[in-house]
Every structure is written in structure tokens, then in C-alpha cells.
């Protein structure tokens, strides 16, 4: 039975600036169910809806300080653990659990990102099995039918219902029911990747004869070059520069095959400073010189 006392749940995990998973999703889920989330950050990520670009793992000493502050002040009785990427960080988490002895410890392994990126080194997972799992009330393996973000929210919901004094069976049942409503509502953040990719292709089609610099197109689309590269690689498995160069090469091939323009004229028409410059580029792309291609 729920009590009138505020249900405090501690989540120990990494942050996701998109809000789709990680600490932000834990806080949102717990709050939506009527609980209060307190947090300890283990990793700060640079990521988009397409995946993770960088990690900054918070030093173990800082994680230890966060744990002590939360346990001393708030005294949460339910703890949910997600992303832990360092063995020394795992050590301070285990030490805190042994010292403060919360009623429930839920571990929701975060080993892969939504897009299949490896997040946790093998040595850390070995330490998890040896040191953390014996302290856990419940270990929630990622659900095969859920993306990482929804699986994360499912674990948070289960943690909430355990904190509300439901048994494990009832907590997991209620957690699944909560997630079913989230799936229906489709509340996860959707990025602009497909739209941006098509805008990039359109921009390249318009400007490839004058501009082959990725930064030019990124500025035109008002995104960073790194995000643009993440989008094109995710959708087409190609770098932006590869897409631009392929478009340029196709156009050169058409002119060589279908016009009487000289190689020098084709070079100038495509923004090259000289015939030699075009020839060097073309041979790198096709393994042939412009003259060899034209003869063929």
C-alpha cells in the first residue's frame, strides 16, 4: 500500500541531454508516477537522438560525494542503478550500498545504446557480476521488445512501484502497464535526422559545382559539421564529404561522356582551379584519368 510519505528514489546513472533515456528519463518517469527522484550522475554524454558522440565519466571521488550527500540528507530506501562505466566508480557505489543499506536495489544493465553502441567495458561488467549483483533486489535485463529509452523507463517505473511497497511480481506488472501507455502515446523524442539528410542532399545538388566543403553545407543548414556527419553516416553509412565528392564525380562523368567540353573547361565548370587539380581528384575517385574515362 502507498503511504502519505514522499516516495524518494535514487537513480545512479549517466545523463542523456535528449531526455530519451538516462537520468533525465528516470526523473521524468518517477515524477509522472508521483514519486520524487534524487540523482547521482556517473557519466555526462554528448549525444543526439542518433547516438552518443562523446563520454565524460565523472571521477569516482565526485560520485562518492554525491552518494554521501544524498544518502545522508534524503535517505532514499530504493535505488536504481543504470550506467556505470568505471570500476572505481562501481566500487564507491557498492561501498555506499553496503554502508547505507537501502531496502531495494534495482540494477538495469545499460551495456548498449539504443543504436547498438557499446557503453560499458568488459572489466566493469565482470566487476558488476562479482560485487554489485549480490546486493540487488532485482536485476532487470533489457527487454527485447523495447528500445533502450523505453527499457530505461520501464526499470524506473518498477523501482517506483517497489518503493511503494508492492512485491516484485506486482511491481513488474505495473511497470509494464505504465510502459504500454508510453508506447501508445509515442512520447519519445524524435530528431530531425531524415529531414536534415534530405535538406543536405538538396543543398549538395544545388551547390556541388561551387562548394565541396562540408563546413559550408553545415553552416547553410545551421548545424555542426559533426552532427551532419552523424546524420549521414547513420542513414547512408557515408561521410558528408563522400556524398559531395560522389555527386561531383557523377557530374564530371556526365560531361566527359556527353559533351565536347575540354577537360580544362569541365574543370573550371566544376570549381577546380586547374585541369591538373580535376585530374588528381577524378583519378582518386575513379582510378582513371579524365582522358582514359572519355576514351572508354
Amino acid at each position: 500500500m502507498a503511504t502519505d510519505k514522499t516516495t524518494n528514489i535514487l537513480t545512479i546513472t549517466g545523463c542523456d541531454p535528449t531526455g530519451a533515456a538516462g537520468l533525465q528519463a528516470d526523473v521524468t518517469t518517477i515524477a509522472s508516477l508521483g514519486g520524487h527522484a534524487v540523482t547521482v550522475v556517473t557519466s555526462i554524454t554528448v549525444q543526439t537522438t542518433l547516438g552518443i558522440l562523446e563520454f565524460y565519466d565523472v571521477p569516482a571521488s565526485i560520485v562518492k560525494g554525491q552518494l554521501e550527500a544524498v544518502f545522508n540528507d534524503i535517505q532514499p530506501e530504493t535505488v536504481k542503478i543504470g550506467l556505470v562505466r568505471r570500476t572505481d566508480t562501481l566500487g564507491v557505489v557498492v561501498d555506499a550500498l553496503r554502508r547505507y543499506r537501502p531496502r531495494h536495489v534495482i540494477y538495469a544493465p545499460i551495456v548498449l545504446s539504443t543504436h547498438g553502441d557499446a557503453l560499458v567495458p568488459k572489466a566493469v561488467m565482470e566487476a558488476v557480476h562479482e560485487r554489485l549483483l549480490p546486493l540487488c533486489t532485482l536485476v532487470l535485463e533489457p527487454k527485447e521488445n523495447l528500445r533502450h529509452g523505453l527499457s530505461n523507463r520501464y526499470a524506473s517505473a518498477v523501482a517506483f512501484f517497489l518503493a511503494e511497497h508492492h512485491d516484485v511480481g506486482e511491481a513488474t506488472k505495473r511497470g509494464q502497464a505504465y510502459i504500454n501507455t508510453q508506447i501508445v502515446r509515442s512520447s519519445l523524442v524524435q530528431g530531425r535526422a531524415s529531414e536534415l539528410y534530405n535538406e543536405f542532399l538538396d543543398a549538395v545538388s544545388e551547390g556541388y559545382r561551387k562548394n565541396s566543403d562540408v563546413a559550408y553545407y553545415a553552416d547553410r543548414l545551421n548545424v555542426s559539421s559533426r552532427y551532419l556527419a552523424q546524420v549521414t553516416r547513420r542513414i547512408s553509412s557515408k561521410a558528408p564529404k563522400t556524398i559531395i565528392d560522389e555527386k561531383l564525380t557523377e557530374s564530371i562523368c556526365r560531361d566527359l561522356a556527353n559533351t565536347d567540353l575540354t577537360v580544362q573547361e569541365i574543370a573550371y565548370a566544376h570549381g577546380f582551379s586547374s585541369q591538373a587539380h580535376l585530374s588528381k581528384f577524378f583519378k582518386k575517385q575513379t582510378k582513371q584519368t579524365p582522358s582514359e574515362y572519355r576514351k572508354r
Side-chain angles (χ1 to χ4, degrees):
M1 294 292 294
T3 67
D4 292 334
K5 183 180 178 181
T6 300
T7 302
N8 295 312
I9 300 168
L10 168 59
T11 175
I12 304 171
T13 193
C15 74
D16 176 355
T18 71
L23 182 148
Q24 288 88 336
D26 288 343
V27 172
T28 300
T29 299
I30 292 166
S32 71
L33 290 167
H36 175 68
V38 291
T39 63
V40 168
V41 183
T42 58
S43 293
I44 299 171
T45 65
V46 178
Q47 67 177 298
T48 67
T49 55
L50 297 178
I52 295 173
L53 296 168
E54 289 182 37
F55 281 104
Y56 172 73
D57 294 322
V58 177
S61 60
I62 301 299
V63 174
K64 180 180 180 180
Q66 294 179 77
L67 287 164
E68 290 180 348
V70 170
F71 274 115
N72 287 337
D73 191 27
I74 308 298
Q75 296 183 318
E77 294 186 347
T78 301
V79 177
K80 177 194 175 246
I81 302 171
L83 182 64
V84 179
R85 287 172 30 89
R86 292 171 42 154
T87 53
D88 57 352
T89 299
L90 180 68
V92 300
V93 170
V94 168
D95 290 345
L97 296 178
R98 291 186 181 278
R99 178 178 179 182
Y100 296 105
R101 299 181 180 180
R103 177 180 290 115
H104 295 297
V105 177
I106 298 93
Y107 178 51
I110 299 177
V111 181
L112 298 175
S113 72
T114 301
H115 300 285
D117 304 314
L119 304 180
V120 180
K122 182 179 179 180
V124 176
M125 290 309 301
E126 290 173 351
V128 164
H129 281 82
E130 180 181 345
R131 303 189 61 195
L132 178 61
L133 296 193
L135 304 177
C136 293
T137 306
L138 185 62
V139 177
L140 292 170
E141 295 295 337
K143 296 175 76 65
E144 293 182 359
N145 62 330
L146 297 180
R147 291 173 65 233
H148 164 56
L150 281 173
S151 188
N152 189 122
R153 291 167 185 254
Y154 167 71
S156 298
V158 172
F160 171 81
F161 291 117
L162 282 175
E164 288 280 283
H165 306 288
H166 296 287
D167 61 31
V168 170
E170 183 64 18
T172 55
K173 179 180 177 181
R174 290 178 178 237
Q176 184 61 61
Y178 171 82
I179 287 303
N180 290 343
T181 66
Q182 297 299 297
I183 294 172
V184 170
R185 293 173 183 172
S186 301
S187 62
L188 287 180
V189 174
Q190 299 297 319
R192 56 174 294 206
S194 296
E195 177 186 354
L196 179 64
Y197 181 73
N198 289 326
E199 289 176 358
F200 171 64
L201 295 183
D202 290 343
V204 171
S205 295
E206 293 175 8
Y208 70 91
R209 287 177 178 263
K210 295 182 179 179
N211 292 284
S212 61
D213 184 20
V214 174
Y216 164 81
Y217 293 100
D219 288 344
R220 179 172 171 178
L221 297 169
N222 198 28
V223 296
S224 69
S225 296
R226 184 163 66 167
Y227 179 62
L228 179 59
Q230 191 184 28
V231 168
T232 62
R233 286 194 174 97
R234 182 68 65 184
I235 294 176
S236 69
S237 300
K238 296 177 181 178
K241 182 61 174 171
T242 300
I243 294 172
I244 297 168
D245 288 349
E246 286 179 351
K247 183 69 175 178
L248 189 56
T249 302
E250 289 173 6
S251 180
I252 294 169
C253 287
R254 283 197 301 271
D255 280 359
L256 288 170
N258 301 314
T259 74
D260 294 327
L261 294 173
T262 66
V263 174
Q264 184 170 332
E265 288 172 332
I266 293 172
Y268 292 153
H270 288 83
F272 292 94
S273 59
S274 66
Q275 179 177 330
H277 186 196
L278 178 144
S279 296
K280 182 179 179 181
F281 168 83
F282 191 79
K283 189 167 186 179
K284 181 180 179 182
Q285 296 296 312
T286 67
K287 312 302 180 187
Q288 304 174 76
T289 67
S291 296
E292 289 170 341
Y293 182 86
R294 177 165 265 176
K295 287 178 182 177
R296 194 194 74 181

